Amino acid sequence: MQHTRRQFLHAAGGFAVSCSLLPKIGFGQQKTKTRLILLGTKGGPRVGEAGRSNPSTLILINDVPYLIDCGYGTSRQLLSANVALNRLRYIFITHHHSDHNLEFGPLVYNAWITGIPARIDAYGPPGLTKMSVDYFNYLEFDIQTRMVDEGRPDPRKLVTIHEFAKPGVVLMNDEVKVSSCRVRHPPITQAYAYRFDAADRSIVISGDTAYSPELAEFAKGADVLVHEIMYLPGIEALISRLPNAKRLREHLMAAHTLPEDVGKVAAQAGVKTLVLSHFVPGDDASITDDQWSEGVRKHFKGRVIVGKDLLEI
Ligand SMILES: [Zn+2]
Ligand SMILES: [Zn+2]
């Protein structure tokens, strides 16, 4: 196919001509399509032996990756989603819990070592710059060695960090407008949801949040809302075995959203599709898809998708 196309281009006798002909021969048909792929759907920092990977969500707009959160395993999951790591372009961090940022540095490193990405822009709440600087310091010996020994460029110049401490427009380019909304995730105050308004689709990623009417307002009219979810009976079973059970239960109840409330937010926002992700607990295989979505459906009558790793929506 590749060979045939090359021959065709050669025969067409010039780039200007072949450009206008390319769509007709089926090249680049993915263009102008906004794709949503769940990379990791398990809430919390614990690495499971099997099952869901830690949080990360990918939006591809005209084949350009926009990555939301970098839980442990994100590099591997990107490869599984057929995104070469040196294609990494935009990263958005919702908040600085480690299940959302643990692989930020390693992901940038992996992109660098794969072959030079053009540029990475990373957006997130205060702390992202320090995290980036600290990460490069942590790997300074390796980086210096490879720059001298292998002639690699300086990875620190690859990344531009954009911190913000207030909700609003985060990024605007020809393809998409990305905006943020402050959500409720105590004790963390700098926790955000993101909204991506592309030409063909609008997608909202809740990040971690307790029931948040502001989020419902922010997600008004979106095509897709990806919302975190916590299943109480699963929590009770999980934490009854832990020494810090009482404290952990209090944190979870204050900082995450139960199914009924997820349904309320989706209904208030009037979204077409609700995607459940960031499951807490995320590695209890005994909880069925129906159990995850039952409470949600009491309030939301649209399409509900129980998220799975690498599911494309
Ligand atoms: Zn989380
Ligand atoms: Zn969190």
Side-chain angles (χ1 to χ4, degrees):
M1 183 66 198
Q2 198 62 38
H3 184 61
T4 312
R5 185 178 300 132
R6 223 179 354 252
Q7 284 178 328
F8 171 82
L9 291 179
H10 185 69
F15 189 62
V17 178
S18 46
C19 263
S20 63
L21 291 173
L22 282 173
K24 292 175 194 156
I25 56 170
F27 184 58
Q29 279 186 345
Q30 288 292 334
K31 291 266 171 188
T32 73
K33 195 177 164 204
T34 298
R35 303 168 61 199
L36 168 65
I37 301 172
L38 307 177
L39 296 182
T41 56
K42 168 200 161 96
R46 204 167 75 88
V47 178
E49 303 86 59
R52 300 178 187 277
S53 190
N54 299 88
S56 186
T57 307
L58 174 67
I59 297 175
L60 287 160
I61 304 172
N62 295 335
D63 279 341
V64 176
Y66 293 71
L67 184 73
I68 303 97
D69 287 331
C70 307
Y72 185 81
T74 298
S75 303
R76 180 65 59 192
Q77 291 298 89
L78 274 169
L79 291 174
S80 299
N82 290 319
V83 176
L85 298 180
N86 58 357
R87 284 178 55 200
L88 206 61
R89 180 67 185 85
Y90 298 105
I91 303 175
F92 302 84
I93 300 293
T94 57
H95 67 296
H96 290 304
H97 265 142
S98 66
D99 51 327
H100 299 257
N101 69 15
L102 189 61
E103 201 160 312
F104 175 75
L107 180 61
V108 171
Y109 181 93
N110 289 339
W112 173 67
I113 213 74
T114 300
I116 310 146
R119 176 191 167 123
I120 297 171
D121 285 279
Y123 303 80
L128 194 56
T129 303
K130 182 176 187 308
M131 210 171 70
S132 176
V133 169
D134 288 350
Y135 178 75
F136 286 128
N137 286 337
Y138 170 84
L139 271 191
E140 192 175 7
F141 174 81
D142 174 273
I143 288 167
Q144 290 299 345
T145 303
R146 290 187 196 281
M147 281 169 61
V148 175
D149 188 38
E150 300 174 14
R152 290 180 185 273
D154 189 339
R156 287 160 284 216
K157 293 184 181 152
L158 206 75
V159 198
T160 307
I161 306 281
H162 310 262
E163 285 188 358
F164 59 89
K166 278 191 218 141
V169 175
V170 172
L171 164 69
M172 182 115 73
N173 61 25
D174 290 345
E175 317 290 340
V176 66
K177 177 177 141 188
V178 184
S179 40
S180 70
C181 162
R182 182 88 62 92
V183 289
R184 303 179 182 194
H185 192 47
I188 295 176
T189 55
Q190 288 288 324
Y192 293 89
Y194 288 105
R195 177 172 179 142
F196 294 76
D197 287 295
D200 59 334
R201 222 175 175 198
S202 49
I203 299 171
V204 175
I205 313 288
S206 74
D208 283 11
T209 183
Y211 172 64
S212 169
E214 301 86 352
L215 176 60
E217 188 59 36
F218 179 67
K220 269 254 152 71
D223 296 300
V224 184
L225 169 62
V226 181
H227 202 295
E228 70 126 87
I229 189 160
M230 175 173 69
Y231 183 64
L232 195 54
I235 296 294
E236 305 286 11
L238 175 78
I239 65 178
S240 62
R241 301 190 295 268
L242 300 174
N244 58 336
K246 185 169 175 292
R247 191 73 187 269
L248 186 58
R249 188 182 192 284
E250 283 168 7
H251 159 76
L252 290 170
M253 292 304 286
H256 295 283
T257 312
L258 294 170
E260 286 76 8
D261 288 334
V262 175
K264 274 186 203 162
V265 171
Q268 286 160 11
V271 295
K272 294 193 188 86
T273 301
L274 170 65
V275 180
L276 306 178
S277 191
H278 195 283
F279 295 93
V280 177
D283 45 14
D284 183 344
S286 74
I287 307 171
T288 64
D289 284 4
D290 282 344
Q291 284 174 311
W292 283 114
S293 58
E294 192 186 0
V296 172
R297 292 185 203 277
K298 283 184 195 158
H299 300 283
F300 180 64
K301 305 301 171 198
R303 184 161 76 129
V304 179
I305 294 172
V306 180
K308 306 266 185 294
D309 287 9
L310 300 175
L311 178 71
E312 176 167 353
I313 297 123

